[in-house]
Amino acid sequence: MSAHEFTMDVLRRILREGAGEDVDLDGDIDDVTFGDLGYDSLALLETGARIGREYGIELEDTVFVDAETPRQLVDALNRQLLTLRTA
């Protein structure tokens, strides 16, 4: 597991890897819903699998179902990573 904080830039990279470079994730996407960005629940679950592999952790699917925006997802992931680091 990485000791680094999960950032918006990391999320952008992982989202692009899953959807391809043709998605527009530039600019202020922090509070734009994933639906408005073109990501459905299946795409978010794939994103979760990618994050889990990269960070070597198992994430609950509810993290990705409950987060409606990139900011909410980044915050939830950082809370989970912090919990794992302090356990």
Side-chain angles (χ1 to χ4, degrees), residues 9-59:
D9 287 337
V10 171
L11 179 59
R12 278 188 177 98
R13 177 182 53 78
I14 291 172
L15 287 169
R16 280 192 178 108
E17 288 172 359
E21 292 295 324
D22 57 334
V23 296
D24 183 13
L25 299 174
D26 296 325
D28 186 9
I29 65 163
D30 294 15
D31 297 309
V32 178
T33 66
F34 284 110
D36 288 343
L37 292 171
Y39 289 86
D40 60 14
S41 58
L42 185 59
L44 288 177
L45 291 177
E46 170 60 25
T47 298
R50 288 174 180 273
I51 293 168
R53 285 190 302 272
E54 185 168 318
Y55 280 76
I57 59 174
E58 189 171 324
L59 300 165

